[in-house]
mmCIF file of all heavy atoms in Angstrom:
data_model
loop_
_atom_site.group_PDB
_atom_site.id
_atom_site.type_symbol
_atom_site.label_atom_id
_atom_site.label_comp_id
_atom_site.label_asym_id
_atom_site.label_seq_id
_atom_site.Cartn_x
_atom_site.Cartn_y
_atom_site.Cartn_z
ATOM 1 N N LYS C 1 15.264 20.772 10.036
ATOM 2 C CA LYS C 1 14.295 21.169 9.034
ATOM 3 C C LYS C 1 13.206 20.119 8.999
ATOM 4 O O LYS C 1 13.478 18.928 9.050
ATOM 5 C CB LYS C 1 14.967 21.280 7.667
ATOM 6 C CG LYS C 1 16.031 22.352 7.616
ATOM 7 C CD LYS C 1 16.708 22.389 6.278
ATOM 8 C CE LYS C 1 17.811 23.425 6.301
ATOM 9 N NZ LYS C 1 18.593 23.412 5.085
ATOM 10 N N ALA C 2 11.983 20.569 8.911
ATOM 11 C CA ALA C 2 10.879 19.624 8.835
ATOM 12 C C ALA C 2 10.985 18.817 7.557
ATOM 13 O O ALA C 2 11.251 19.354 6.488
ATOM 14 C CB ALA C 2 9.545 20.366 8.880
ATOM 15 N N VAL C 3 10.806 17.525 7.685
ATOM 16 C CA VAL C 3 10.824 16.623 6.550
ATOM 17 C C VAL C 3 9.456 15.955 6.498
ATOM 18 O O VAL C 3 9.005 15.369 7.480
ATOM 19 C CB VAL C 3 11.931 15.553 6.709
ATOM 20 C CG1 VAL C 3 11.896 14.578 5.554
ATOM 21 C CG2 VAL C 3 13.298 16.224 6.809
ATOM 22 N N LYS C 4 8.786 16.077 5.384
ATOM 23 C CA LYS C 4 7.446 15.519 5.233
ATOM 24 C C LYS C 4 7.497 14.000 5.306
ATOM 25 O O LYS C 4 8.272 13.357 4.609
ATOM 26 C CB LYS C 4 6.841 15.941 3.893
ATOM 27 C CG LYS C 4 5.473 15.357 3.654
ATOM 28 C CD LYS C 4 4.461 16.437 3.551
ATOM 29 C CE LYS C 4 3.127 15.868 3.160
ATOM 30 N NZ LYS C 4 2.156 16.018 4.203
ATOM 31 N N VAL C 5 6.690 13.443 6.165
ATOM 32 C CA VAL C 5 6.565 11.999 6.290
ATOM 33 C C VAL C 5 5.379 11.576 5.435
ATOM 34 O O VAL C 5 4.294 12.137 5.547
ATOM 35 C CB VAL C 5 6.345 11.584 7.762
ATOM 36 C CG1 VAL C 5 6.109 10.098 7.875
ATOM 37 C CG2 VAL C 5 7.534 12.025 8.608
ATOM 38 N N VAL C 6 5.601 10.610 4.575
ATOM 39 C CA VAL C 6 4.543 10.114 3.700
ATOM 40 C C VAL C 6 4.207 8.688 4.134
ATOM 41 O O VAL C 6 5.064 7.817 4.163
ATOM 42 C CB VAL C 6 4.985 10.135 2.223
ATOM 43 C CG1 VAL C 6 3.899 9.550 1.334
ATOM 44 C CG2 VAL C 6 5.323 11.554 1.800
ATOM 45 N N GLN C 7 2.967 8.484 4.477
ATOM 46 C CA GLN C 7 2.484 7.196 4.964
ATOM 47 C C GLN C 7 1.295 6.776 4.113
ATOM 48 O O GLN C 7 0.414 7.588 3.851
ATOM 49 C CB GLN C 7 2.078 7.368 6.426
ATOM 50 C CG GLN C 7 1.295 6.244 7.021
ATOM 51 C CD GLN C 7 2.094 4.981 7.176
ATOM 52 O OE1 GLN C 7 2.061 4.133 6.302
ATOM 53 N NE2 GLN C 7 2.813 4.851 8.254
ATOM 54 N N THR C 8 1.266 5.533 3.675
ATOM 55 C CA THR C 8 0.138 5.046 2.874
ATOM 56 C C THR C 8 -0.534 3.824 3.493
ATOM 57 O O THR C 8 -1.479 3.294 2.916
ATOM 58 C CB THR C 8 0.597 4.692 1.447
ATOM 59 O OG1 THR C 8 1.547 3.622 1.518
ATOM 60 C CG2 THR C 8 1.190 5.900 0.738
ATOM 61 N N ALA C 9 -0.078 3.391 4.647
ATOM 62 C CA ALA C 9 -0.608 2.163 5.239
ATOM 63 C C ALA C 9 -2.101 2.242 5.516
ATOM 64 O O ALA C 9 -2.823 1.258 5.339
ATOM 65 C CB ALA C 9 0.147 1.821 6.513
ATOM 66 N N GLY C 10 -2.575 3.387 5.955
ATOM 67 C CA GLY C 10 -4.005 3.528 6.217
ATOM 68 C C GLY C 10 -4.833 3.255 4.979
ATOM 69 O O GLY C 10 -5.779 2.469 5.002
ATOM 70 N N ARG C 11 -4.469 3.896 3.877
ATOM 71 C CA ARG C 11 -5.211 3.689 2.627
ATOM 72 C C ARG C 11 -5.008 2.266 2.102
ATOM 73 O O ARG C 11 -5.936 1.658 1.582
ATOM 74 C CB ARG C 11 -4.799 4.730 1.598
ATOM 75 C CG ARG C 11 -5.376 6.100 1.901
ATOM 76 C CD ARG C 11 -5.048 7.128 0.828
ATOM 77 N NE ARG C 11 -5.660 8.391 1.120
ATOM 78 C CZ ARG C 11 -5.099 9.350 1.858
ATOM 79 N NH1 ARG C 11 -3.899 9.178 2.370
ATOM 80 N NH2 ARG C 11 -5.740 10.487 2.078
ATOM 81 N N ASP C 12 -3.773 1.761 2.240
ATOM 82 C CA ASP C 12 -3.491 0.411 1.756
ATOM 83 C C ASP C 12 -4.333 -0.632 2.478
ATOM 84 O O ASP C 12 -4.855 -1.554 1.865
ATOM 85 C CB ASP C 12 -2.008 0.056 1.934
ATOM 86 C CG ASP C 12 -1.085 0.899 1.075
ATOM 87 O OD1 ASP C 12 -1.580 1.572 0.127
ATOM 88 O OD2 ASP C 12 0.128 0.898 1.353
ATOM 89 N N MET C 13 -4.469 -0.473 3.790
ATOM 90 C CA MET C 13 -5.166 -1.481 4.593
ATOM 91 C C MET C 13 -6.654 -1.216 4.760
ATOM 92 O O MET C 13 -7.445 -2.139 4.830
ATOM 93 C CB MET C 13 -4.523 -1.584 5.978
ATOM 94 C CG MET C 13 -3.114 -2.134 5.959
ATOM 95 S SD MET C 13 -2.370 -2.157 7.603
ATOM 96 C CE MET C 13 -3.549 -3.144 8.503
ATOM 97 N N LEU C 14 -7.041 0.064 4.868
ATOM 98 C CA LEU C 14 -8.413 0.390 5.242
ATOM 99 C C LEU C 14 -9.127 1.321 4.279
ATOM 100 O O LEU C 14 -10.261 1.715 4.539
ATOM 101 C CB LEU C 14 -8.412 1.033 6.639
ATOM 102 C CG LEU C 14 -7.804 0.192 7.756
ATOM 103 C CD1 LEU C 14 -7.669 1.025 9.019
ATOM 104 C CD2 LEU C 14 -8.626 -1.049 7.999
ATOM 105 N N GLY C 15 -8.465 1.683 3.200
ATOM 106 C CA GLY C 15 -9.017 2.676 2.293
ATOM 107 C C GLY C 15 -10.409 2.369 1.774
ATOM 108 O O GLY C 15 -11.225 3.274 1.612
ATOM 109 N N GLU C 16 -10.697 1.103 1.550
ATOM 110 C CA GLU C 16 -12.016 0.744 1.005
ATOM 111 C C GLU C 16 -13.091 0.658 2.074
ATOM 112 O O GLU C 16 -14.240 0.969 1.812
ATOM 113 C CB GLU C 16 -11.919 -0.585 0.254
ATOM 114 C CG GLU C 16 -11.120 -0.477 -1.030
ATOM 115 C CD GLU C 16 -11.117 -1.775 -1.818
ATOM 116 O OE1 GLU C 16 -12.065 -2.567 -1.680
ATOM 117 O OE2 GLU C 16 -10.153 -1.979 -2.573
ATOM 118 N N ILE C 17 -12.730 0.253 3.279
ATOM 119 C CA ILE C 17 -13.761 0.065 4.307
ATOM 120 C C ILE C 17 -13.867 1.228 5.283
ATOM 121 O O ILE C 17 -14.908 1.428 5.886
ATOM 122 C CB ILE C 17 -13.560 -1.247 5.085
ATOM 123 C CG1 ILE C 17 -12.218 -1.245 5.818
ATOM 124 C CG2 ILE C 17 -13.665 -2.448 4.172
ATOM 125 C CD1 ILE C 17 -12.071 -2.388 6.808
ATOM 126 N N ALA C 18 -12.785 1.989 5.435
ATOM 127 C CA ALA C 18 -12.797 3.121 6.367
ATOM 128 C C ALA C 18 -11.962 4.260 5.783
ATOM 129 O O ALA C 18 -10.914 4.606 6.304
ATOM 130 C CB ALA C 18 -12.260 2.695 7.728
ATOM 131 N N PRO C 19 -12.434 4.849 4.692
ATOM 132 C CA PRO C 19 -11.622 5.853 4.009
ATOM 133 C C PRO C 19 -11.293 7.081 4.863
ATOM 134 O O PRO C 19 -10.203 7.629 4.747
ATOM 135 C CB PRO C 19 -12.458 6.236 2.788
ATOM 136 C CG PRO C 19 -13.833 5.762 3.080
ATOM 137 C CD PRO C 19 -13.710 4.618 4.021
ATOM 138 N N GLU C 20 -12.188 7.497 5.732
ATOM 139 C CA GLU C 20 -11.906 8.670 6.560
ATOM 140 C C GLU C 20 -10.833 8.356 7.593
ATOM 141 O O GLU C 20 -9.938 9.158 7.835
ATOM 142 C CB GLU C 20 -13.176 9.194 7.239
ATOM 143 C CG GLU C 20 -12.963 10.462 8.044
ATOM 144 C CD GLU C 20 -12.442 11.659 7.235
ATOM 145 O OE1 GLU C 20 -12.433 11.627 5.990
ATOM 146 O OE2 GLU C 20 -12.048 12.655 7.872
ATOM 147 N N PHE C 21 -10.899 7.186 8.223
ATOM 148 C CA PHE C 21 -9.853 6.783 9.168
ATOM 149 C C PHE C 21 -8.511 6.695 8.449
ATOM 150 O O PHE C 21 -7.489 7.155 8.963
ATOM 151 C CB PHE C 21 -10.190 5.434 9.816
ATOM 152 C CG PHE C 21 -9.175 5.007 10.840
ATOM 153 C CD1 PHE C 21 -9.293 5.414 12.157
ATOM 154 C CD2 PHE C 21 -8.096 4.217 10.476
ATOM 155 C CE1 PHE C 21 -8.342 5.028 13.106
ATOM 156 C CE2 PHE C 21 -7.144 3.830 11.411
ATOM 157 C CZ PHE C 21 -7.267 4.243 12.732
ATOM 158 N N ALA C 22 -8.518 6.116 7.248
ATOM 159 C CA ALA C 22 -7.282 6.003 6.457
ATOM 160 C C ALA C 22 -6.711 7.382 6.153
ATOM 161 O O ALA C 22 -5.494 7.601 6.265
ATOM 162 C CB ALA C 22 -7.566 5.239 5.163
ATOM 163 N N ARG C 23 -7.564 8.323 5.794
ATOM 164 C CA ARG C 23 -7.113 9.686 5.511
ATOM 165 C C ARG C 23 -6.518 10.333 6.756
ATOM 166 O O ARG C 23 -5.445 10.944 6.702
ATOM 167 C CB ARG C 23 -8.275 10.548 4.987
ATOM 168 C CG ARG C 23 -7.841 11.976 4.610
ATOM 169 C CD ARG C 23 -9.034 12.893 4.367
ATOM 170 N NE ARG C 23 -9.742 13.234 5.590
ATOM 171 C CZ ARG C 23 -9.314 14.149 6.478
ATOM 172 N NH1 ARG C 23 -8.183 14.790 6.286
ATOM 173 N NH2 ARG C 23 -10.031 14.413 7.557
ATOM 174 N N LEU C 24 -7.193 10.183 7.884
ATOM 175 C CA LEU C 24 -6.687 10.769 9.124
ATOM 176 C C LEU C 24 -5.334 10.167 9.502
ATOM 177 O O LEU C 24 -4.424 10.878 9.926
ATOM 178 C CB LEU C 24 -7.702 10.576 10.260
ATOM 179 C CG LEU C 24 -8.996 11.370 10.124
ATOM 180 C CD1 LEU C 24 -10.026 10.899 11.139
ATOM 181 C CD2 LEU C 24 -8.733 12.861 10.253
ATOM 182 N N ASN C 25 -5.207 8.860 9.350
ATOM 183 C CA ASN C 25 -3.941 8.191 9.656
ATOM 184 C C ASN C 25 -2.817 8.693 8.751
ATOM 185 O O ASN C 25 -1.755 9.101 9.219
ATOM 186 C CB ASN C 25 -4.095 6.677 9.508
ATOM 187 C CG ASN C 25 -2.825 5.935 9.863
ATOM 188 O OD1 ASN C 25 -2.519 5.731 11.022
ATOM 189 N ND2 ASN C 25 -2.073 5.537 8.852
ATOM 190 N N ASP C 26 -3.058 8.648 7.455
ATOM 191 C CA ASP C 26 -1.995 8.956 6.498
ATOM 192 C C ASP C 26 -1.715 10.453 6.369
ATOM 193 O O ASP C 26 -0.557 10.871 6.330
ATOM 194 C CB ASP C 26 -2.349 8.393 5.120
ATOM 195 C CG ASP C 26 -2.419 6.876 5.110
ATOM 196 O OD1 ASP C 26 -2.022 6.230 6.102
ATOM 197 O OD2 ASP C 26 -2.880 6.329 4.083
ATOM 198 N N ASP C 27 -2.773 11.256 6.297
ATOM 199 C CA ASP C 27 -2.601 12.683 6.018
ATOM 200 C C ASP C 27 -2.425 13.539 7.274
ATOM 201 O O ASP C 27 -1.629 14.475 7.271
ATOM 202 C CB ASP C 27 -3.783 13.215 5.214
ATOM 203 C CG ASP C 27 -3.935 12.522 3.869
ATOM 204 O OD1 ASP C 27 -2.984 11.855 3.424
ATOM 205 O OD2 ASP C 27 -5.023 12.641 3.273
ATOM 206 N N VAL C 28 -3.189 13.226 8.318
ATOM 207 C CA VAL C 28 -3.120 14.054 9.517
ATOM 208 C C VAL C 28 -2.038 13.540 10.467
ATOM 209 O O VAL C 28 -1.097 14.261 10.784
ATOM 210 C CB VAL C 28 -4.496 14.153 10.216
ATOM 211 C CG1 VAL C 28 -4.394 14.965 11.502
ATOM 212 C CG2 VAL C 28 -5.521 14.773 9.275
ATOM 213 N N LEU C 29 -2.164 12.284 10.908
ATOM 214 C CA LEU C 29 -1.188 11.766 11.867
ATOM 215 C C LEU C 29 0.225 11.838 11.312
ATOM 216 O O LEU C 29 1.127 12.359 11.944
ATOM 217 C CB LEU C 29 -1.529 10.329 12.266
ATOM 218 C CG LEU C 29 -0.532 9.655 13.213
ATOM 219 C CD1 LEU C 29 -0.402 10.432 14.525
ATOM 220 C CD2 LEU C 29 -0.922 8.219 13.464
ATOM 221 N N PHE C 30 0.415 11.323 10.110
ATOM 222 C CA PHE C 30 1.764 11.343 9.538
ATOM 223 C C PHE C 30 2.049 12.614 8.755
ATOM 224 O O PHE C 30 3.065 13.260 8.964
ATOM 225 C CB PHE C 30 2.006 10.095 8.686
ATOM 226 C CG PHE C 30 2.254 8.903 9.544
ATOM 227 C CD1 PHE C 30 1.215 8.070 9.901
ATOM 228 C CD2 PHE C 30 3.516 8.643 10.030
ATOM 229 C CE1 PHE C 30 1.432 6.990 10.735
ATOM 230 C CE2 PHE C 30 3.757 7.564 10.857
ATOM 231 C CZ PHE C 30 2.701 6.732 11.217
ATOM 232 N N GLY C 31 1.161 12.970 7.858
ATOM 233 C CA GLY C 31 1.410 14.125 7.001
ATOM 234 C C GLY C 31 1.529 15.434 7.755
ATOM 235 O O GLY C 31 2.234 16.338 7.322
ATOM 236 N N GLU C 32 0.848 15.558 8.890
ATOM 237 C CA GLU C 32 0.927 16.788 9.665
ATOM 238 C C GLU C 32 1.685 16.609 10.984
ATOM 239 O O GLU C 32 2.672 17.289 11.221
ATOM 240 C CB GLU C 32 -0.485 17.320 9.942
ATOM 241 C CG GLU C 32 -1.207 17.757 8.679
ATOM 242 C CD GLU C 32 -2.625 18.228 8.950
ATOM 243 O OE1 GLU C 32 -2.911 18.668 10.086
ATOM 244 O OE2 GLU C 32 -3.451 18.156 8.024
ATOM 245 N N VAL C 33 1.240 15.685 11.815
ATOM 246 C CA VAL C 33 1.835 15.556 13.147
ATOM 247 C C VAL C 33 3.273 15.038 13.082
ATOM 248 O O VAL C 33 4.191 15.671 13.601
ATOM 249 C CB VAL C 33 0.967 14.656 14.056
ATOM 250 C CG1 VAL C 33 1.630 14.454 15.408
ATOM 251 C CG2 VAL C 33 -0.430 15.259 14.216
ATOM 252 N N TRP C 34 3.481 13.883 12.460
ATOM 253 C CA TRP C 34 4.839 13.321 12.401
ATOM 254 C C TRP C 34 5.762 14.174 11.538
ATOM 255 O O TRP C 34 6.980 14.143 11.709
ATOM 256 C CB TRP C 34 4.802 11.891 11.878
ATOM 257 C CG TRP C 34 4.337 10.916 12.925
ATOM 258 C CD1 TRP C 34 3.065 10.468 13.111
ATOM 259 C CD2 TRP C 34 5.115 10.299 13.938
ATOM 260 N NE1 TRP C 34 3.012 9.612 14.175
ATOM 261 C CE2 TRP C 34 4.267 9.486 14.695
ATOM 262 C CE3 TRP C 34 6.471 10.359 14.276
ATOM 263 C CZ2 TRP C 34 4.710 8.730 15.774
ATOM 264 C CZ3 TRP C 34 6.911 9.609 15.345
ATOM 265 C CH2 TRP C 34 6.036 8.805 16.084
ATOM 266 N N SER C 35 5.217 14.956 10.646
ATOM 267 C CA SER C 35 6.047 15.820 9.802
ATOM 268 C C SER C 35 6.511 17.076 10.526
ATOM 269 O O SER C 35 7.281 17.855 9.974
ATOM 270 C CB SER C 35 5.285 16.194 8.517
ATOM 271 O OG SER C 35 5.129 15.046 7.702
ATOM 272 N N ARG C 36 6.094 17.262 11.759
ATOM 273 C CA ARG C 36 6.588 18.380 12.576
ATOM 274 C C ARG C 36 7.903 17.986 13.242
ATOM 275 O O ARG C 36 8.188 18.335 14.370
ATOM 276 C CB ARG C 36 5.542 18.765 13.621
ATOM 277 C CG ARG C 36 4.305 19.396 13.027
ATOM 278 C CD ARG C 36 3.204 19.614 14.056
ATOM 279 N NE ARG C 36 3.671 20.132 15.326
ATOM 280 C CZ ARG C 36 3.718 21.433 15.649
ATOM 281 N NH1 ARG C 36 3.319 22.341 14.783
ATOM 282 N NH2 ARG C 36 4.157 21.813 16.827
ATOM 283 N N ASN C 37 8.722 17.260 12.500
ATOM 284 C CA ASN C 37 9.963 16.743 13.055
ATOM 285 C C ASN C 37 11.039 17.792 13.219
ATOM 286 O O ASN C 37 12.112 17.499 13.740
ATOM 287 C CB ASN C 37 10.458 15.536 12.246
ATOM 288 C CG ASN C 37 10.377 15.771 10.768
ATOM 289 O OD1 ASN C 37 10.952 16.715 10.258
ATOM 290 N ND2 ASN C 37 9.643 14.915 10.067
ATOM 291 N N ASP C 38 10.769 19.025 12.835
ATOM 292 C CA ASP C 38 11.672 20.109 13.176
ATOM 293 C C ASP C 38 11.447 20.547 14.622
ATOM 294 O O ASP C 38 12.300 21.190 15.225
ATOM 295 C CB ASP C 38 11.508 21.301 12.224
ATOM 296 C CG ASP C 38 10.097 21.856 12.209
ATOM 297 O OD1 ASP C 38 9.123 21.081 12.409
ATOM 298 O OD2 ASP C 38 9.961 23.061 11.975
ATOM 299 N N LYS C 39 10.306 20.185 15.186
ATOM 300 C CA LYS C 39 9.974 20.510 16.575
ATOM 301 C C LYS C 39 10.395 19.394 17.522
ATOM 302 O O LYS C 39 10.880 19.637 18.615
ATOM 303 C CB LYS C 39 8.473 20.745 16.735
ATOM 304 C CG LYS C 39 7.873 21.712 15.740
ATOM 305 C CD LYS C 39 8.309 23.120 16.014
ATOM 306 C CE LYS C 39 7.566 24.066 15.096
ATOM 307 N NZ LYS C 39 8.391 25.055 14.503
ATOM 308 N N LEU C 40 10.140 18.158 17.122
ATOM 309 C CA LEU C 40 10.489 16.963 17.894
ATOM 310 C C LEU C 40 10.888 15.906 16.877
ATOM 311 O O LEU C 40 10.116 15.582 15.978
ATOM 312 C CB LEU C 40 9.283 16.487 18.720
ATOM 313 C CG LEU C 40 9.502 15.310 19.654
ATOM 314 C CD1 LEU C 40 10.486 15.678 20.769
ATOM 315 C CD2 LEU C 40 8.171 14.878 20.267
ATOM 316 N N SER C 41 12.086 15.404 17.001
ATOM 317 C CA SER C 41 12.609 14.487 15.989
ATOM 318 C C SER C 41 11.760 13.219 15.879
ATOM 319 O O SER C 41 11.067 12.823 16.816
ATOM 320 C CB SER C 41 14.050 14.109 16.303
ATOM 321 O OG SER C 41 14.102 13.225 17.409
ATOM 322 N N LEU C 42 11.865 12.575 14.752
ATOM 323 C CA LEU C 42 11.162 11.317 14.545
ATOM 324 C C LEU C 42 11.649 10.261 15.527
ATOM 325 O O LEU C 42 10.864 9.455 16.021
ATOM 326 C CB LEU C 42 11.339 10.839 13.110
ATOM 327 C CG LEU C 42 10.679 11.713 12.049
ATOM 328 C CD1 LEU C 42 11.005 11.193 10.649
ATOM 329 C CD2 LEU C 42 9.191 11.799 12.257
ATOM 330 N N ARG C 43 12.937 10.264 15.826
ATOM 331 C CA ARG C 43 13.494 9.324 16.805
ATOM 332 C C ARG C 43 12.833 9.542 18.161
ATOM 333 O O ARG C 43 12.407 8.593 18.821
ATOM 334 C CB ARG C 43 15.002 9.512 16.904
ATOM 335 C CG ARG C 43 15.665 8.590 17.919
ATOM 336 C CD ARG C 43 17.179 8.846 17.940
ATOM 337 N NE ARG C 43 17.866 7.884 18.739
ATOM 338 C CZ ARG C 43 18.159 8.038 20.033
ATOM 339 N NH1 ARG C 43 17.784 9.128 20.666
ATOM 340 N NH2 ARG C 43 18.814 7.102 20.683
ATOM 341 N N ASP C 44 12.721 10.789 18.581
ATOM 342 C CA ASP C 44 12.097 11.085 19.857
ATOM 343 C C ASP C 44 10.611 10.730 19.840
ATOM 344 O O ASP C 44 10.085 10.194 20.814
ATOM 345 C CB ASP C 44 12.290 12.558 20.221
ATOM 346 C CG ASP C 44 13.738 12.909 20.509
ATOM 347 O OD1 ASP C 44 14.570 11.989 20.663
ATOM 348 O OD2 ASP C 44 14.048 14.112 20.560
ATOM 349 N N ARG C 45 9.945 11.021 18.735
ATOM 350 C CA ARG C 45 8.525 10.663 18.629
ATOM 351 C C ARG C 45 8.345 9.151 18.718
ATOM 352 O O ARG C 45 7.395 8.656 19.320
ATOM 353 C CB ARG C 45 7.928 11.201 17.331
ATOM 354 C CG ARG C 45 7.737 12.702 17.327
ATOM 355 C CD ARG C 45 7.192 13.212 15.991
ATOM 356 N NE ARG C 45 7.286 14.649 15.910
ATOM 357 C CZ ARG C 45 6.361 15.490 16.380
ATOM 358 N NH1 ARG C 45 5.280 15.026 16.944
ATOM 359 N NH2 ARG C 45 6.542 16.790 16.272
#
């Protein structure tokens, strides 16, 4: 079953200077791509 991965490092580290990069890191890379762990496990990723 897909388990949502929640990542905040992008916003924590870059949120003030690069908010769009932080959003892409936290919401897209982790929130969408890494959360597809029903397709490919987190261990395999």
Side-chain angles (χ1 to χ4, degrees):
K1 297 178 183 174
V3 177
K4 178 117 174 114
V5 176
V6 177
Q7 168 68 266
T8 63
R11 286 184 177 89
D12 294 345
M13 293 177 57
L14 302 171
E16 291 184 26
I17 62 169
E20 184 60 12
F21 183 87
R23 183 192 71 78
L24 292 169
N25 182 79
D26 295 350
D27 299 344
V28 177
L29 177 59
F30 284 93
E32 294 178 25
V33 176
W34 283 95
S35 292
R36 291 173 43 93
N37 45 57
D38 58 329
K39 310 289 186 225
L40 184 65
S41 73
L42 293 176
R43 179 180 188 267
D44 293 347
R45 288 178 192 274

